[in-house]
Amino acid sequence: MKKNIVYAVRVIMMLIVLTLGILGYIYYEKTLVVWWLPVIVAVTAVVATIPWSRGRWQWFVGDDKTFNILCHIFAVGCITYFLMMGGNYLLADKDSMHKEEVMVEDKKHNVRKTGYRSGRHYRRSNRTTHSYYLTVRLEDGTLKEMPVTASLYNRVRAGRPIEICLQEGALGFRVIKED
């Protein structure tokens, strides 16, 4: 019984850390920041905390030192990435909201066919998923590829301006917010 509880706690912890990493990426897509800056911050946090991680993950992974370090890299990296991107986005200053006119440089439409597993077999289905992206040039000259809805994607044309709402994030990075 105790072994099952330990496995359940391990799975729940890893799902939470993975969810935080995914949420960090979602907030990154809505933030005007260069891609390498949050990665450098996360790597710095991982490297700075490695000396204190010895033995801290043994309750989670057992006595394997290599797996101990890999768990530390994954968990601390995902948590730091989320804290930076999520903190900037979620704690954005609501009073600083302003509309900015940006130029649409490019439109991208990704179509993927999905599949599913049935036992040991991988089966393809006719179901497709669509994702829509606009590459916009802001007034200061920076380019940002942002995910948009299908209705907005169909309304805009490349080379024409659109208005987006921007807020100043908690860490100083501007974030794209919905009206």
Side-chain angles (χ1 to χ4, degrees), residues 41-143:
V41 170
V43 168
T44 303
V46 167
V47 171
T49 57
I50 278 183
W52 293 284
S53 73
R54 288 190 202 277
R56 301 274 185 225
W57 295 95
Q58 280 184 348
W59 67 272
F60 192 69
V61 297
D63 292 331
D64 189 3
K65 291 182 181 182
T66 305
F67 197 56
N68 187 349
I69 293 293
L70 290 175
C71 263
H72 176 76
I73 290 169
F74 177 70
V76 173
C78 285
I79 291 169
T80 306
Y81 191 76
F82 170 76
L83 287 176
M84 183 175 178
M85 294 286 91
N88 184 64
Y89 184 84
L90 295 172
L91 301 175
D93 184 19
K94 292 180 181 17
D95 296 333
S96 68
M97 181 176 285
H98 67 281
K99 291 189 181 235
E100 188 171 312
E101 194 168 273
V102 297
M103 187 65 67
V104 177
E105 295 286 323
D106 190 26
K107 294 170 61 170
K108 191 187 329 179
H109 176 207
N110 294 336
V111 179
R112 291 191 179 98
K113 288 195 172 199
T114 60
Y116 63 94
R117 290 196 53 132
S118 174
R120 294 184 181 192
H121 305 287
Y122 182 79
R123 306 199 191 274
R124 285 212 176 256
S125 66
N126 289 333
R127 198 174 114 218
T128 57
T129 59
H130 301 270
S131 53
Y132 304 95
Y133 293 92
L134 294 179
T135 303
V136 297
R137 182 175 302 278
L138 281 80
E139 289 177 356
D140 62 355
T142 58
L143 285 174

Side-chain angles (χ1 to χ4, degrees), residues 151-171:
S151 63
L152 180 61
Y153 180 85
N154 290 329
R155 274 186 297 180
V156 300
R157 301 288 176 250
R160 299 237 174 116
I162 62 169
E163 272 193 354
I164 59 173
C165 291
L166 295 175
Q167 285 183 356
E168 191 70 26
L171 300 177

